[in-house]
Amino acid sequence: MKKTNVIIGIVIFAILVTVPFWSAILSPASGAAPEVSFDTPVINQLSGDDYKCVEDVEWMRAHHMDLLSDWKVEVVREGTRTYIAEDGTEYLASLQNTCFECHSNYEDFCLKCHTYADVNPTCWECHVEPTVAGGAA
Amino acid sequence: MEMNRRKFLKLGTAAVAGLGVAAASTSPAVAAAVNGSYKNAEGKQNDVTWGMVIDMNKMDNETLNKCIEACHKFHNVPNIDTKKDEVKWIWGEPFEHLFLDETHEKMGEKFKDKNFMTICNHCAEPVCVRVCPVKATFMNAQGVVGMDMHRCLGCRNCMAACPYGARSFNYKAPRDYIEEINPSYPTRMKGVVEKCNFCSERLAVGELPLCAEIAGAAITFGNIADPNSGVSKKLADNFTLQRRSNLGTKPKVYYIV
Ligand code: SF4
Ligand code: SF4
Ligand code: SF4
C-alpha cells in the first residue's frame, strides 16, 4: 500500500471525526447564544436591590437545575418549603409559585435556552408552565 | 454533629464532583453545590402526628360534595367518568363499604343513604410504603403518607397493597381531563399513581386541609400526638371507628357514626 494513500485516509478520517465541530462553526445560526427575555410584568416592577434572582445570576444560569433538584427533595420529602438564599432573602421553594412569578414567559425564557442546549427536561409533564394556564399564579 | 442521610449524600456528591473536577480539570466551574439553607430544616415539628376525625352526624352529602369539588379542583385531579380509569383523592361510599363488619340488616335508612367521606387513611403502619420499590411512597416526619411523583414508576404495587382502595392510577394523560388547570399546583403525568396527600402543601404553611376547612365542625383535624389537641379530645370523648382496624394498618382517619 502506498504511503500517500495512508496519509489521505488519515486526513479523511480526521475530517469525518470532527464533523460536529465544523458544522457547528460553519452554520451561522446555531453558534449564537440565545437571547432570553426579562420583559415580564413582575420583573419590570423590580428595581434597585430587588432586581435580582434567587441566587447570583451567573450561578443560576449554570445551576438552576441543581437548585430545583435540591428544592424538590426538601419540599416533597422533608416538608421544608422556605429557602434562605446566600444573601439571606427567603423564598418559597416552588417552581410554579416562585420562579414563574417573575419568569412568566416560558417560551422566551426557559424554552429558548433549553432548545439551544438541546435539552428536554421532563419538568413540564407535570409542572404547569405559565403558558398552559395563561399566566403565572 | 449527627450526620443524617441527606447531609451524607450531599457531602458524598460534593466529594465525587470534586474528584471529577480534579481528574478532568476542565472549566473553572462555578460552584455546583447549592449554598443556601432551609428554614427550620433542623427544628421541624417532629412531635406532630396529623390525624383526622370525621363526624358523620354532622357531615351531609352536600358538604361532602363541596369538599370533593374543592380538593379535586385545587389538586388538579382529572375528571374521568369511567370506573376503570377514574382518578380520585376523596369520594363518598355507603356505610357498608367502609365498615362491612359493623353493618347489619336492621340498620337505619338514614345511614344507608348517606355518603361516607373516603380518603387515604394515612395509616401509621402503611402497607403501601412497605411495598413501594423506590420509596416514591413514604411517610414524612408528621405521619403523612406522601408520594414523590418524581420517583413513581407506575408499578402499582401500592394499589394492590392498599386495603382501602385509596389510590388511583393515571391510565390516561390527566391534563386532557382537567377542565381548568390550577397553576399553583402541579398536575400528574400518565403512568403514575396518586392519592390524597392530607394537603401537605397547606400543612407546611400552617393551614388546615381544604376539606377540613370547608366541612367546619364535621371534620376535626390536628395533632393526635398531643393529648390536649382538639382532635385528641374528640377521640377521647366519642366512640370512633377506624376502617378495618383488625388489619393492623392503624389508620389516622377516624369516624364518629
Ligand atoms: S390508606 Fe392505603 S394508601 Fe393510604 S396510607 Fe393506608 S395503605 Fe397507604
Ligand atoms: S406505583 Fe409508584 S408509588 Fe406505587 S409502588 Fe409503584 S413506584 Fe411506588
Ligand atoms: S386532606 Fe386535602 S388532599 Fe386529602 S381529601 Fe382532604 S382536601 Fe383532599
Side-chain angles (χ1 to χ4, degrees):
Chain A
M1 203 195 292
K2 268 201 200 146
K3 210 177 178 181
T4 43
N5 283 354
V6 173
I7 290 170
I8 290 168
I10 288 175
V11 169
I12 290 174
F13 176 75
I15 290 172
L16 281 181
V17 164
T18 52
V19 152
F21 298 100
W22 295 118
S23 63
I25 290 167
L26 294 178
S27 67
S30 67
E35 267 188 40
V36 292
S37 162
F38 298 103
D39 181 15
T40 72
V42 177
I43 296 180
N44 289 335
Q45 296 285 311
L46 302 175
S47 60
D49 284 350
D50 287 340
Y51 190 84
K52 61 179 183 186
C53 196
V54 172
E55 296 286 4
D56 172 70
V57 170
E58 280 308 311
W59 188 88
M60 287 301 286
R61 270 198 191 126
H63 294 295
H64 59 283
M65 65 297 267
D66 296 323
L67 184 72
L68 289 171
S69 166
D70 214 62
W71 282 10
K72 173 191 84 178
V73 176
E74 284 293 337
V75 170
V76 177
R77 305 196 76 88
E78 306 291 329
T80 334
R81 286 174 196 245
T82 306
Y83 176 75
I84 307 172
E86 277 198 87
D87 71 359
T89 315
E90 293 182 4
Y91 295 93
L92 176 73
S94 169
L95 174 67
Q96 279 175 230
N97 296 311
T98 299
C99 304
F100 293 167
E101 208 179 306
C102 285
H103 301 294
S104 50
N105 53 345
Y106 171 77
E107 259 144 47
D108 289 326
F109 189 77
C110 316
L111 198 61
K112 278 253 168 93
C113 269
H114 291 164
T115 308
Y116 174 72
D118 198 15
V119 291
N120 288 303
T122 47
C123 313
W124 320 110
E125 305 239 13
C126 296
H127 287 284
V128 184
E129 69 261 35
T131 39
V132 168
Chain B
M1 189 179 63
E2 199 192 68
M3 168 132 9
N4 60 29
R5 188 172 153 273
R6 193 166 150 63
K7 278 192 195 126
F8 175 79
L9 285 177
K10 265 191 161 174
L11 282 178
T13 317
V16 171
L19 283 178
V21 169
S25 79
T26 45
S27 59
V30 197
V34 175
N35 289 322
S37 54
Y38 295 87
K39 200 172 185 179
N40 297 334
E42 302 299 328
K44 257 190 320 202
Q45 309 164 292
N46 287 335
D47 48 351
V48 171
T49 305
W50 297 121
M52 181 184 277
V53 173
I54 305 169
D55 188 341
M56 285 310 300
N57 296 313
K58 294 182 178 146
M59 176 69 92
D60 52 45
N61 290 355
E62 197 191 328
T63 311
L64 176 59
N65 286 339
K66 273 191 204 148
C67 295
I68 297 172
E69 202 193 315
C71 171
H72 285 182
K73 212 172 155 108
F74 183 85
H75 294 112
N76 288 324
V77 177
N79 181 13
I80 306 171
D81 58 7
T82 59
K83 201 87 198 134
K84 182 185 152 285
D85 299 330
E86 72 176 354
V87 177
K88 51 199 190 328
W89 287 26
I90 165 172
W91 68 102
E93 291 276 359
F95 180 85
E96 66 259 34
H97 287 183
L98 262 57
F99 304 104
L100 182 63
D101 290 343
E102 288 80 10
T103 308
H104 58 79
E105 74 285 359
K106 293 285 186 197
M107 192 155 253
E109 286 297 325
K110 68 172 182 179
F111 289 106
K112 293 222 168 94
D113 292 341
K114 206 162 206 179
N115 266 328
F116 275 63
M117 177 172 144
T118 312
I119 61 172
C120 163
N121 290 290
H122 297 273
C123 306
E125 298 288 345
V127 230
C128 54
V129 171
R130 288 206 186 186
V131 298
C132 180
V134 292
K135 290 196 163 73
T137 287
F138 63 100
M139 192 197 282
N140 77 9
Q142 291 88 40
V144 174
V145 175
M147 282 196 63
D148 187 341
M149 295 300 174
H150 306 96
R151 282 198 186 192
C152 177
L153 306 165
C155 69
R156 285 174 279 160
N157 281 4
C158 54
M159 285 179 77
C162 171
Y164 307 101
R167 297 169 160 269
S168 309
F169 183 68
N170 281 286
Y171 285 100
K172 296 187 164 164
R175 277 199 191 173
D176 298 345
Y177 298 88
I178 304 170
E179 215 170 277
E180 197 186 331
I181 290 177
N182 167 14
S184 67
Y185 199 82
T187 68
R188 266 69 56 197
M189 61 187 287
K190 186 178 171 180
V192 297
V193 165
E194 62 181 272
K195 66 168 194 75
C196 154
N197 67 353
F198 248 15
C199 284
S200 46
E201 76 284 351
R202 289 171 61 93
L203 295 176
V205 294
E207 288 171 0
L208 278 178
L210 259 180
C211 56
E213 194 178 280
I214 291 166
I219 295 181
T220 312
F221 187 90
N223 180 9
I224 56 168
D226 171 7
N228 295 317
S229 67
V231 73
S232 293
K233 291 211 173 104
K234 273 264 163 179
L235 287 168
D237 297 343
N238 293 280
F239 175 73
T240 49
L241 289 172
Q242 279 173 324
R243 290 178 68 191
R244 303 180 72 181
S245 54
N246 58 329
L247 294 177
T249 41
K250 301 202 172 96
K252 294 198 292 286
V253 174
Y254 307 84
Y255 295 83
I256 298 175
V257 294

